[in-house]
Amino acid sequence: MSATLPLLAARDLAQPLAWRDGQPISAARFLAEAAALAEQLPARGQAVNLCQDRYHFALALVAAALRGHVSLLPPNAMAATLQQLPVAQGAPYAMVDDDEPVNLPRIDLRARPAVSGGASAVPAIDSERIAVCLLTSGSTGAPQPHAKSWRALTVNIGSEAQRLAEMTSRPSLQGLNIVATVPAQHSYGFESSVMLSLLGGAAFDAGRPFYPADVAQALQNVPRPRALVTTPFHLKTLLLSGVELPPVDLLLCATAPLTPQLAALAEQKMGGPLIEIYGCTEAGQLASRRTTQGQTWTTLGEVRITSTTHSGDGESF
């Protein structure tokens, strides 16, 4: 029999896994909603997760995993992109939470089944099952799929969670509340907001704030300790906006190198340490550094760096 791994890291199910408009959503409620949604999915197929709300995205992801379906994460919902989705694991269907037209069978999470109460235990799934397939933007051709088993995700996210806890002098990420400006379909946004909550012990805000005032409000809506997961572009815009910013306990940044000057300004204005993550679509997170303390990257977990020749369409973050 195949080994299994839990869908959530060990945690108190009564505590928040997510937040919406300042209101907590417990892990128990999340699991109950995901299980009910899973019952509504087709017997066979692949879930194309197009949900913009981060809570809906996480529900769709876990419901698909419970149903034994792969979740495809395309870079966009353009017709040309969706026409090139891999079909080896079954016909794709779209998991959505808006009215944008999609040329696929739709399951709208705004109409998901209502549940009462919450789950009392965390389900487990086959650790070697391919749970997620991230797709690159296809800038050098057709979007390239990068499949991730639940075991690979558990190991990768566990390494990130351990490193972030160490670098912020915390025993774990339990109780840390994450606000992210990065979409959940992007490798970095997927791993460092949704998955860092599911498999790393944190909790995430359902929104995806873009403008500085919205980011400040989203941070204010979740209690401390809190973290902001963002990019150099968003961070610079935020810091130069003049908007009053709530203090944070952790800043996480990726997708492009960050200057020491901007990192120092971020730590000065927002209070928490700024940690950069280096990674790529193919391998996930590979290394981290606290930019104000030096330019050297330290690999995560069991990652080791060797010299090799690479060609392909992967995207670093």
Side-chain angles (χ1 to χ4, degrees), residues 147-191:
K148 313 280 184 178
S149 69
W150 199 254
R151 179 189 62 80
L153 289 169
T154 299
V155 170
N156 195 237
I157 301 304
S159 297
E160 180 190 20
Q162 181 179 3
R163 175 63 52 79
L164 295 179
E166 291 171 352
M167 296 181 79
T168 54
S169 301
R170 298 174 55 84
S172 72
L173 297 188
Q174 295 285 338
L176 181 71
N177 298 306
I178 296 172
V179 170
T181 65
V182 193
Q185 285 81 5
H186 186 279
S187 299
Y188 166 49
F190 168 68
E191 292 172 348

Side-chain angles (χ1 to χ4, degrees), residues 9-281:
R11 65 192 303 149
D12 181 350
L13 297 185
Q15 294 302 306
L17 175 70
W19 295 83
R20 174 176 280 118
D21 299 326
Q23 298 301 309
I25 303 172
S26 71
R29 176 183 160 188
F30 171 83
L31 288 173
E33 288 198 65
L37 179 60
E39 295 296 323
Q40 306 298 311
L41 302 185
R44 188 172 184 271
Q46 298 181 97
V48 184
N49 196 331
L50 302 177
C51 294
Q52 299 302 302
D53 178 287
R54 212 171 299 265
Y55 184 70
H56 291 164
F57 176 93
L59 275 178
L61 175 78
V62 169
L66 289 171
R67 194 66 164 166
H69 296 175
V70 176
S71 286
L72 302 178
L73 307 186
N76 57 63
M78 295 173 59
T81 300
L82 299 182
Q83 287 171 0
Q84 299 183 77
L85 294 174
V87 296
Q89 300 297 319
Y93 58 90
M95 304 279 268
V96 301
D97 58 1
D98 59 28
D99 296 321
E100 290 297 317
V102 177
N103 191 27
L104 290 171
R106 293 165 54 96
I107 295 175
D108 192 331
L109 268 75
R110 295 171 298 180
R112 66 188 183 275
V115 300
S116 59
S120 58
V122 177
I125 61 171
D126 184 342
S127 62
E128 299 306 318
R129 177 188 299 162
I130 300 302
V132 173
C133 186
L134 291 140
L135 295 132
T136 64
S137 64
S139 57
T140 61
Q144 296 299 305
H146 299 286
K148 313 280 184 178
S149 69
W150 199 254
R151 179 189 62 80
L153 289 169
T154 299
V155 170
N156 195 237
I157 301 304
S159 297
E160 180 190 20
Q162 181 179 3
R163 175 63 52 79
L164 295 179
E166 291 171 352
M167 296 181 79
T168 54
S169 301
R170 298 174 55 84
S172 72
L173 297 188
Q174 295 285 338
L176 181 71
N177 298 306
I178 296 172
V179 170
T181 65
V182 193
Q185 285 81 5
H186 186 279
S187 299
Y188 166 49
F190 168 68
E191 292 172 348
S192 291
S193 63
V194 173
M195 297 310 293
L196 197 57
S197 298
L198 298 183
L199 297 177
F204 64 90
D205 179 70
R208 181 192 160 192
F210 181 82
Y211 296 107
D214 296 331
V215 175
Q217 185 61 59
L219 287 169
Q220 193 65 55
N221 283 347
V222 298
R224 298 184 69 177
R226 55 191 169 218
L228 176 62
V229 174
T230 191
T231 68
F233 171 78
H234 283 122
L235 184 61
K236 183 176 181 180
T237 302
L238 182 65
L239 295 175
L240 298 180
S241 69
V243 171
E244 184 176 352
L245 301 172
V248 301
D249 302 275
L250 170 65
L251 285 156
L252 203 60
C253 205
T255 71
L258 194 65
T259 66
Q261 294 81 7
L262 186 58
L265 180 62
E267 292 190 352
Q268 175 190 341
K269 284 199 169 188
M270 303 193 74
L274 188 146
I275 297 170
E276 283 189 273
I277 294 288
Y278 179 82
C280 60
T281 307

